[in-house]
Amino acid sequence: MARPALKVTYKSIDTTRLPDPLLEGAALLIELARRGAIDQLAKRLHIRRQGGYCALGIVLYLLLYFASGVGIGIKGFWMTVLKAHHKALAAIVGRSSLPSPSSLSRALGRVENDLTRPIAPWMLQQLPQIDAVLRHPAVLTRDANGQGWHVIDYDPSNTVLRHRGLPHDDDLPEPLRRSEDTAAPGHIGRKRGNMVFRKNVAQHAGAGAWLHLHLCPGNGDATGDLRRALTTAGQTFERIDHPRDRTLFRFDGEFGYVPAFTACRENNQPFITRLNRPKLFEDTAFLARLRAATWYAVPDSRSGPRRAAAELGEWTLESGKQTRRPDGSRYAPITIRVVACIFQPASGKARRGRMLDGWQIELFAADVPADAWPAPEVVAAYFGRNGTQENRFAQEDRELGLDRIFSYHLPGQELACLVGLMVWNLRLVMGFRTE
């Protein structure tokens, strides 16, 4: 009986043509080399190690990886895409080769925060040349007086690692978990796991540009981490000559307490956040003002319930008895403007805030002028986070995949995430120039 035959021939990979996943990365390398940014990066970014690839090699590899959009791991990217072409790509920036995945892992394990964090704002902002985007009037948010504001979303997120059982026996060595160097016990929310590390990011709402990033084990130091982001933002707007009193930070309810308010006040930073002060609903003077308030419709986002907002004036808030500054002293009372919003929940139960007279009431702290930001605009600005940063978090996961573990050494993981957000900003600037 005749059997069909199939003749298979093999040809070596054509290294003269770059595959599609490497084209964007190659274009970015050409542009960065053309304007001398690669040389500047080599001079600014350092890791302490003897032999092997330097910090620049890490960034070049990761830049190509994040720009590829292949959605696979570092090793898979090397084996299926980069290995046959890494010397040609390295030649674009005057290098002989790029690190292999094992070399990259060893180099990331030597990263130190003291060396990388000082240049992180430069990598996110000045290397991509983001200032031209931030100066454009289209990225500003207009207040009720027509003045332009820069709005920044600050919203840390937790990555949870799960520890599974390890075998124990007298003949086995002491078990060692690599994640012990990456995370620490902390609040894990609804996620399953044992260890947590936190990604603290600040993003410009109008431009979509990432302005700040740092990681910390566990749940970190909420107020200290916020101060780092405030410092970066202050340096950014000082550089582009924009007044600090027309920049607005938006937080979620995690920062609706006195230490965060104090940090913003000490940095002259206007802000809007949900107010975490349930005891106000037990204050008879507060309840009287709430029931006597005049309510105005909040601009409808066509997502979620129709809300109304009211101005409740200024209230003096004190920190909890156990809430202390790093030096052990108590926070001074702070007087803050309070705005309320009401709506009727579908379930009849309040997920946040308090049910009162059949209405769900939520409170917001708004350290912005009432004439520029009336109560309805305060509430609309707060819930505007859902249409900006929440969607951009999803976009970041989809396009960059920064939830992956690139290194079990947390400073190395931080540098990898920094390069990913740098690629985002480079894409943003290239699109801005095209338009």
Side-chain angles (χ1 to χ4, degrees):
M1 179 177 177
R3 294 185 179 180
L6 178 65
K7 184 177 180 181
V8 178
T9 60
Y10 174 82
K11 293 183 179 180
S12 60
I13 297 174
D14 182 8
T15 58
T16 62
R17 180 189 180 280
L18 289 178
D20 290 346
L22 294 177
L23 294 181
E24 182 186 357
L28 291 177
L29 290 181
I30 291 171
E31 168 63 15
L32 293 176
R34 181 192 64 78
R35 56 185 173 85
I38 296 294
D39 294 335
Q40 294 180 50
L41 183 61
K43 293 177 182 178
R44 290 171 177 262
L45 184 62
H46 302 285
I47 56 176
R48 291 190 180 96
R49 63 186 310 218
Q50 288 186 333
Y53 287 89
C54 63
L56 179 62
I58 301 176
V59 175
L60 296 178
Y61 187 112
L62 292 172
L63 183 148
L64 292 167
Y65 171 76
F66 288 118
S68 70
V70 291
I72 57 179
I74 291 286
K75 186 175 182 180
F77 172 67
W78 171 265
M79 298 302 297
T80 60
V81 180
L82 185 58
K83 184 176 182 180
H85 307 279
H86 75 101
K87 291 186 178 180
L89 290 165
I92 294 175
V93 295
R95 316 288 293 183
S96 60
S97 63
L98 295 177
S100 66
S102 57
S103 297
L104 178 74
S105 179
R106 288 191 294 270
L108 286 174
R110 301 298 299 173
V111 174
E112 300 172 63
N113 285 336
D114 292 344
L115 297 178
T116 56
R117 282 185 177 172
I119 75 158
W122 178 84
M123 289 179 64
L124 283 179
Q125 300 179 37
Q126 290 154 281
L127 184 146
Q129 297 183 337
I130 204 73
D131 288 4
V133 179
L134 298 181
R135 290 192 175 100
H136 197 278
V139 307
L140 297 174
T141 299
R142 300 290 170 179
D143 64 16
N145 298 324
Q147 294 291 321
W149 290 60
H150 286 286
V151 178
I152 304 95
D153 287 313
Y154 178 72
D155 192 2
S157 60
N158 286 354
T159 298
V160 177
L161 304 179
R162 187 179 182 189
H163 282 178
R164 297 185 182 273
L166 294 177
H168 291 270
D169 194 275
D170 294 340
D171 297 333
L172 296 176
E174 189 70 20
L176 176 65
R177 297 184 187 271
R178 291 186 294 171
S179 60
E180 297 287 355
D181 190 35
T182 314
H187 177 66
I188 62 174
R190 295 184 296 271
K191 302 175 183 178
R192 297 176 64 192
N194 313 85
M195 307 285 280
V196 179
F197 69 86
R198 168 162 281 203
K199 181 169 66 175
N200 303 276
V201 289
Q203 186 182 44
H204 192 285
W210 300 95
L211 305 182
H212 176 84
L213 164 80
H214 74 274
L215 306 186
C216 54
N219 295 124
D221 172 13
T223 307
D225 293 332
L226 172 59
R227 288 182 183 275
R228 285 184 179 177
L230 292 172
T231 299
T232 302
Q235 295 168 348
T236 300
F237 297 117
E238 181 179 355
R239 190 178 66 248
I240 65 174
D241 298 320
H242 186 86
R244 187 68 177 264
D245 61 358
R246 280 197 284 113
T247 64
L248 175 65
F249 258 66
R250 294 191 298 196
F251 314 117
D252 64 8
E254 178 183 357
F255 298 94
Y257 64 154
V258 171
F261 302 162
T262 303
C264 289
R265 283 276 178 89
E266 292 175 350
N267 283 271
N268 301 315
Q269 179 60 65
F271 64 90
I272 292 174
T273 183
R274 193 186 295 275
L275 178 60
N276 289 332
R277 191 52 64 105
K279 287 187 177 181
L280 283 177
F281 291 105
E282 302 169 8
D283 187 317
T284 55
F286 182 83
L287 289 175
R289 190 180 298 189
L290 188 65
R291 288 194 166 98
T294 302
W295 299 90
Y296 298 91
V298 175
D300 187 13
S301 65
R302 299 186 182 276
S303 128
R306 294 295 303 271
R307 293 179 169 88
E311 181 70 47
L312 299 183
E314 293 188 336
W315 292 86
T316 299
L317 306 176
E318 295 186 358
S319 64
K321 294 181 179 180
Q322 304 301 321
T323 304
R324 303 282 176 170
R325 290 179 179 269
D327 62 3
S329 62
R330 288 196 65 181
Y331 284 89
I334 190 167
T335 302
I336 204 76
R337 176 187 170 206
V338 177
V339 169
C341 90
I342 59 172
F343 65 93
Q344 289 185 316
S347 64
K349 296 181 180 180
R351 294 183 58 190
R352 297 180 180 87
R354 186 72 59 90
M355 290 297 297
L356 190 65
D357 301 335
W359 295 86
Q360 179 171 330
I361 302 178
E362 299 176 355
L363 303 179
F364 301 90
D367 202 25
V368 287
D371 62 330
W373 293 89
E377 299 300 327
V378 167
V379 176
Y382 177 83
F383 286 104
R385 296 172 58 253
N386 298 336
T388 53
Q389 191 167 39
E390 296 298 335
N391 286 334
R392 284 169 179 157
F393 275 154
Q395 183 182 359
E396 172 225 287
D397 291 342
R398 184 173 63 251
E399 297 182 3
L400 300 175
L402 296 187
D403 282 342
R404 287 182 179 271
I405 300 296
F406 302 102
S407 172
Y408 280 100
H409 179 57
L410 194 58
Q413 176 75 10
E414 181 175 314
L415 178 59
C417 292
L418 182 67
V419 176
L421 297 186
M422 182 186 77
V423 169
W424 174 299
N425 284 356
L426 282 167
R427 287 171 167 170
L428 179 64
V429 172
M430 298 291 277
F432 173 79
R433 289 175 180 171
T434 300
E435 289 296 318

